[in-house]
């Protein structure tokens, strides 16, 4: 506690403490507030200045020795401070937000699955979290995320990735690797430091670091724009396409099988599939798409069986053919070999 005889202490020893306590209590009641708009701050400043200038000037005797402790000056100072506190308190208890009519921004994405170090603003994400526009996500070495944008696009995020959600159909990949599945007519655009990637009804991966941009199409096509230059990557049955770019433009173009082991990481960034959410046929279509395969039945009887059977339990979407075989064998169907390695051919088990 300061000595009440010190310069600037014109009240008893408890006076300043009581005033400070009152201010602290006021701020605690108000809790954390939005930053005041510049217009509101200007109104407070203008009103306070007007009140201050309207006060009577201290008498001649007081002006002759304008010490901090003089009663006229202290009274003038205290009154001005009271104006500031009163006007500030009025703004503190206004409705939260930039203005009284502002409503919270709607969610642009929902977290379906999270694993390892996956955070937003340093806080760990959990399944079910809803994410607002301009949210920045970050994953560590063991972090993986699966999101669904409100536009319907499915998004999976690998480790060591930073990503901003700029809308429900646009993301900004700052660093790392993401996989997008824009099915059912939905669309998405990925901005990166080296160019913009726009889907044309597709499954694709975008990966970026300080040196290069990689775009790998598994299904459909994507358009990559760098300044005035535009390149298109297209997938064919059983084969995708990989394009690599430097900051100066396209570096290489190569085919990549839709069943290449490269794609396995996306299965580990996915929630388990609930078999009882539909028929066996529903699962096979989902799993075939997950594994880069085209589903085909050996005959109409096998197709009818798959469309009739309702399995139960859960299964991982990772592991592809191993996981598919485990589900088939417990439900009376089997996978048979085909000449095309990208086809998943299903046959009703005619054995015992």
């Amino acid at each position: 506690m300061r000595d009440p005889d010190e310069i600037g202490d014109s009240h008893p020893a408890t006076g300043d403490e009581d005033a400070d306590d009152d201010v602290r209590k006021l701020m605690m009641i108000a809790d954390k507030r939005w930053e005041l708009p510049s217009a509101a701050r200007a109104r407070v400043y203008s009103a306070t200045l007007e009140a201050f200038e309207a006060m009577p000037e201290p008498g001649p005797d007081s002006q002759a020795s304008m010490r901090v402790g003089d009663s006229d000056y202290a009274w003038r100072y205290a009154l001005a401070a009271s104006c500031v506190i009163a006007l500030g308190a009025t703004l503190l208890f206004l409705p939260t937000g930039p203005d009284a009519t502002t409503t919270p921004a709607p969610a642009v994405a929902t977290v379906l699955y999270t694993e390892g170090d996956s955070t937003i603003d340093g806080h760990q994400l959990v399944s079910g979290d809803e994410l607002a526009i301009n949210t920045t996500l970050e994953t560590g070495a063991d972090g993986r995320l699966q999101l669904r944008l409100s536009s319907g696009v499915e998004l999976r995020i690998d480790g060591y990735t930073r990503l901003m959600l700029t809308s429900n159909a646009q993301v900004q990949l700052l660093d790392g690797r993401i996989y997008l599945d824009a099915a059912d007519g939905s669309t998405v655009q990925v901005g990166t430091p080296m160019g913009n990637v726009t889907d044309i009804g597709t499954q694709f991966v975008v990966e970026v670091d300080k040196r290069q941009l990689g775009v790998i199409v598994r299904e459909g096509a994507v358009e990559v724009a760098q300044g005035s230059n535009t390149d298109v990557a297209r997938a064919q049955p059983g084969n995708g396409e990989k394009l690599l770019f430097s900051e100066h433009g396209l570096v290489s173009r190569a085919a990549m099988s839709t069943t290449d082991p490269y794609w396995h990481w996306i299965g580990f960034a996915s929630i388990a599939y609930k078999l009882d959410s539909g028929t066996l046929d529903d699962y096979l279509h989902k799993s075939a798409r997950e594994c880069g395969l085209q589903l085909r039945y050996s005959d109409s009887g096998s197709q009818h069986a798959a469309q009739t059977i309702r399995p139960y339990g859960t299964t991982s979407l990772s592991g592809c053919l191993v996981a598919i075989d485990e589900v088939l064998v417990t439900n009376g169907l089997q996978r048979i070999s085909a000449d095309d390695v990208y086809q998943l051919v299903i046959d009703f088990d005619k054995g015992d």
Side-chain angles (χ1 to χ4, degrees):
M1 183 181 299
R2 293 180 299 172
D3 186 339
D5 293 330
E6 286 181 354
I7 292 178
D9 284 309
S10 58
H11 304 287
T14 57
D16 286 342
E17 292 179 347
D18 291 342
D20 289 346
D21 286 343
D22 289 342
V23 173
R24 278 193 293 270
K25 290 175 182 177
L26 181 64
M27 297 303 293
M28 289 175 67
I29 293 171
D31 201 3
K32 184 178 179 180
R33 314 301 286 174
W34 291 85
E35 182 180 354
L36 292 176
S38 57
R41 291 198 300 271
R43 288 198 302 271
V44 173
Y45 178 84
S46 177
T48 304
L49 182 61
E50 183 179 349
F52 186 88
E53 291 178 342
M55 296 175 191
E57 292 291 334
D61 293 339
S62 298
Q63 290 180 337
S65 56
M66 190 65 78
R67 293 177 299 164
V68 176
D70 283 348
S71 59
D72 284 341
Y73 183 83
W75 172 82
R76 179 179 168 84
Y77 181 86
L79 185 56
S82 298
C83 292
V84 173
I85 292 174
L87 289 167
T90 300
L91 286 173
L92 280 173
F93 290 97
L94 286 174
T96 55
D99 60 60
T101 61
T102 299
T103 56
V108 295
T110 301
V111 178
L112 302 181
Y113 174 79
T114 178
E115 176 185 343
D117 183 14
S118 303
T119 61
I120 168 176
D121 296 330
H123 300 289
Q124 186 70 28
L125 286 164
V126 297
S127 296
D129 280 349
E130 294 190 336
L131 309 177
I133 191 170
N134 292 332
T135 294
T136 299
L137 308 169
E138 186 166 1
T139 58
D142 62 345
R144 292 188 180 94
L145 282 169
Q146 180 184 18
L147 311 180
R148 178 173 288 118
L149 304 184
S150 59
S151 62
V153 174
E154 185 179 312
L155 172 64
R156 302 190 200 176
I157 304 173
D158 201 9
Y160 287 131
T161 297
R162 287 191 303 125
L163 177 81
M164 177 181 285
L165 304 174
T166 50
S167 80
N168 70 345
Q170 186 177 55
V171 300
Q172 187 75 20
L173 180 59
L174 306 173
D175 191 32
R177 178 167 69 170
I178 60 175
Y179 165 86
L180 302 101
D181 189 343
D184 303 323
S186 54
T187 185
V188 66
Q189 184 179 77
V190 181
T192 78
M194 291 193 184
N196 296 321
V197 183
T198 304
D199 84 280
I200 310 173
T202 185
Q203 293 175 308
F204 65 107
V205 164
V206 180
E207 48 189 26
V208 67
D209 58 28
K210 295 179 179 179
R211 296 173 300 152
Q212 65 181 17
L213 165 66
V215 178
I216 311 168
V217 180
R218 199 182 202 187
E219 178 183 286
V222 296
E223 181 181 271
V224 184
Q226 287 186 302
S228 59
N229 297 324
T230 301
D231 293 279
V232 177
R234 300 184 185 277
Q236 304 296 329
N239 274 308
E241 191 170 38
K242 179 177 182 178
L243 275 60
L244 288 179
F245 299 84
S246 72
E247 60 181 344
H248 304 295
L250 181 65
V251 173
S252 65
R253 181 188 296 264
M256 176 182 283
S257 169
T258 58
T259 58
D260 191 280
Y262 168 87
W263 301 102
H264 289 177
W265 74 269
I266 68 174
F268 295 102
S270 173
I271 191 171
Y273 184 87
K274 295 182 179 180
L275 291 167
D276 52 8
S277 64
T279 66
L280 183 59
D281 179 69
D282 293 330
Y283 162 72
L284 290 172
H285 275 94
K286 173 71 174 178
S287 194
R289 184 174 179 82
E290 185 78 14
C291 299
L293 299 165
Q294 291 186 352
L295 177 64
R296 181 166 66 86
Y297 292 99
S298 61
D299 51 50
S300 59
S302 298
Q303 183 175 9
H304 178 72
Q307 292 172 340
T308 304
I309 295 171
R310 298 190 69 88
Y312 61 90
T314 60
T315 185
S316 172
L317 290 177
S318 63
C320 285
L321 294 179
V322 173
I324 290 171
D325 284 343
E326 290 177 352
V327 174
L328 290 174
V329 73
T330 59
N331 288 280
L333 280 85
Q334 61 183 354
R335 176 173 58 89
I336 61 176
S337 300
D339 293 338
D340 297 315
V341 295
Y342 64 90
Q343 290 201 356
L344 174 63
V345 184
I346 305 300
D347 183 57
F348 184 70
D349 188 353
K350 302 176 179 63
D352 294 336

